[in-house]
Amino acid sequence: MTTANQIIKRACLEIGAIDVTETVGGDEAAICLDALNDLIDTWSTAPQAAYNNQEIVLSMAPSTFGLTIGPGQQINTVRPLRIESAYARYNNLDRPIEVIEDKGSWDAILIKQLGTSWPEALWYDGGLPTGNVYFWPQPSGTVDLHITVLNYVGAFELLTTDQTLSRGYKRALELGLSVEIADMFKLPVSPNLQRRASLAYRAIRRANSVVPEMETGTRRASRLGKFLAGY
């Protein structure tokens, strides 16, 4: 387990703001905590900074056109940057759901209220503070919906908040935070520290990167053509 206090102390040691016998307290600690959470928030915009996939399973009622997504919403999870993949299970059969990434393609579907046994496409609007996931066609019966989103390091609510971090994340956060807070302490960032912070962040991105499988234009065009035609 790792606390914000541990990350902040190491970051301050890296830039020489404290020595090994000191701790960071008061206003400085609060500002460092804000900087740490800002850094984590920035990381959450990069898919390669996510440490794993989370599959969310829920029952989807007949004629469902859209579901809200976010903490305490119909799809109860941290509001995602995007939806990675999805499938529907109906009568013990699984069928993939196409994730439409741009609103223009979603808008081009001619009959959005069409009903069928399976939803075949979805579009996520990325709304704030609550997102919405829309489905086409609408299922005529109850299906089990499986949606995969990315898990990122969460914000530290308090200096004493514990998190279990995946390999490499603690070091990357410590070095990244040291660069972030150097100006606050009026201290320089050495080229060596900058290089180490960059290498640590690149290491976790590289570890999480997945080489995408190439999809031919003909195959993708045939699927999207079916969606846009509205059957």
Side-chain angles (χ1 to χ4, degrees), residues 33-45:
L33 180 62
D34 284 342
L36 174 59
N37 286 330
D38 286 346
L39 179 63
I40 291 170
D41 183 62
T42 299
W43 281 16
S44 70
T45 65

Side-chain angles (χ1 to χ4, degrees), residues 75-91:
I75 305 174
N76 186 16
T77 185
V78 176
R79 177 190 165 277
L81 182 67
R82 68 187 191 189
I83 291 174
E84 302 301 308
S85 62
Y87 68 91
R89 177 170 292 166
Y90 181 70
N91 286 340

Side-chain angles (χ1 to χ4, degrees), residues 5 23 27 34 50 55 65-66 68 101 108-109 129 146-148 155 162 165 171 173 185 187 223 230-231:
N5 264 329
T23 58
D27 292 341
D34 284 342
E55 184 174 290
F65 178 63
T68 58
E101 297 182 355
I109 294 175
H146 296 246
I147 285 183
T148 296
D162 269 336
L165 301 178
R171 182 170 185 269
L173 285 172
F185 289 101
L187 294 169
R223 289 213 310 263
Y231 271 173

Side-chain angles (χ1 to χ4, degrees), residues 174-190:
E174 290 168 349
L175 294 174
L177 181 61
S178 66
V179 174
E180 290 284 326
I181 64 175
D183 279 348
M184 181 184 80
F185 289 101
K186 309 299 182 186
L187 294 169
V189 176
S190 70

Side-chain angles (χ1 to χ4, degrees), residues 47 50-56 82-85 147-152 208 210:
Y51 59 86
N52 73 355
N53 293 316
Q54 176 190 6
E55 184 174 290
I56 305 156
R82 68 187 191 189
I83 291 174
E84 302 301 308
S85 62
I147 285 183
T148 296
V149 296
L150 293 177
N151 267 336
Y152 293 89
N208 295 330
V210 177

